[in-house]
Amino acid sequence: MRVVSLVPSLTEAIARSAPGTLVGATDWCTHPADLDVTRIGGTKNPKVDRIVSLAPDLVIANEEENRVPDLSALREAGLEVLVTEVRDVPQAFRELARVVAACGVSVRPRWLDEAEEAWSAQAPPARRVTAVVPIWRRPWMVLGRDTFAGDVLSRLGVDHLYAGHEDRYPKVPLEELRAAAPDVVVLPDEPYRFTPEDGPEAFPGLPCALVSGRHLTWYGPSLAEAPRALGEALRAALR
């Protein structure tokens, strides 16, 4: 079977579950590090002609990460496109099982069991804290309603303050984010790459947790590590 993935986290899941199946992936597909496939552009601007030339049996996409016009163009070219939707942790597990099965995997991958076990073993948080979660600056954008990352944080005891916003990724002035006075500011390293030198300085006096975007926003093998890695980063910031 020949598969092209337009979603970095699903690329990792397919590579782990069905080695040799992938023939194409985006420029942003960084895991596994030794993945040797044709690169087909970005998640928002894939090179449709290049994908078609690979003659895949299946293209894997996501309703949030990929654009409808690109997926329509692939279908019009005669390709089968599987589109996932992931808004919370349980849905991630269901969609991952669907993706690996569609890629010809007949036995449930061990990493998927380990990821589910890691989350089911998660003890109820001892206390809940509030947060703002920027995902971009210039302009500042944060997590809003109905997001996978928001559900991940909620399960770790973090209630982000824009969960009830009408937009999923609202633009919010920095002054408003500061005035919201959250217990912690969560700064992932993707899609915007927040670093110790780029991000925390905008929130003087507020604890900042620098976290791995792969653990916060990816749904794949990294889900097995996410509760521990994110929990450690949050606890360190809140000491």
Side-chain angles (χ1 to χ4, degrees), residues 7 22 116 125 159 193 231:
V7 186
L22 284 167
E116 287 209 60
D159 299 316
R193 187 172 182 78

Side-chain angles (χ1 to χ4, degrees), residues 217-230:
T217 66
W218 286 34
Y219 31 87
S222 59
L223 277 170
E225 309 160 3
R228 175 191 54 78
L230 294 172

Side-chain angles (χ1 to χ4, degrees), residues 40-235:
I40 50 76
T43 57
K44 305 296 186 188
N45 56 347
K47 297 179 177 9
V48 172
D49 291 348
R50 187 175 297 176
I51 296 171
V52 172
S53 73
L54 291 171
D57 301 298
L58 182 64
V59 178
I60 303 292
N62 174 262
E63 51 88 29
E64 180 175 35
E65 294 204 43
N66 308 118
R67 301 184 317 129
V68 170
D70 296 320
L71 304 184
S72 297
L74 292 168
R75 289 190 174 108
E76 289 167 6
L79 300 183
E80 182 178 351
V81 181
L82 185 157
V83 181
T84 59
E85 178 182 321
V86 177
R87 302 291 177 90
D88 58 36
V89 172
Q91 189 176 32
F93 292 134
R94 293 194 298 271
E95 290 289 67
L96 285 164
R98 184 165 74 103
V99 165
V100 296
C103 292
V105 178
S106 58
V107 178
R108 183 179 170 89
R110 178 58 190 155
W111 66 260
L112 187 51
D113 288 335
E114 291 171 350
E116 287 209 60
E117 289 163 7
W119 283 95
S120 63
Q122 190 67 16
R127 68 180 179 114
R128 301 198 70 83
V129 298
T130 60
V132 294
V133 190
I135 58 164
W136 203 259
R137 65 185 300 176
R138 305 182 193 96
W140 286 92
M141 299 175 66
V142 299
L143 289 186
R145 64 169 178 84
D146 194 25
T147 66
F148 172 73
D151 186 63
V152 165
L153 289 171
S154 178
R155 291 168 188 274
L156 297 174
V158 178
D159 299 316
H160 70 93
L161 295 177
Y162 291 88
H165 198 281
E166 63 181 355
D167 297 326
R168 297 187 67 218
Y169 301 102
K171 297 177 183 177
V172 182
L174 179 58
E175 295 74 17
E176 182 180 325
L177 296 180
R178 290 170 175 162
D183 296 318
V184 64
V185 180
V186 179
L187 297 169
D189 61 10
E190 62 175 79
Y192 185 91
R193 187 172 182 78
F194 289 105
T195 69
E197 295 75 34
D198 184 359
E201 82 291 342
F203 300 94
L206 291 175
C208 291
L210 290 155
V211 303
S212 160
R214 178 167 168 262
H215 289 130
L216 180 61
T217 66
W218 286 34
Y219 31 87
S222 59
L223 277 170
E225 309 160 3
R228 175 191 54 78
L230 294 172
E232 289 175 356
L234 290 165
R235 285 191 294 274

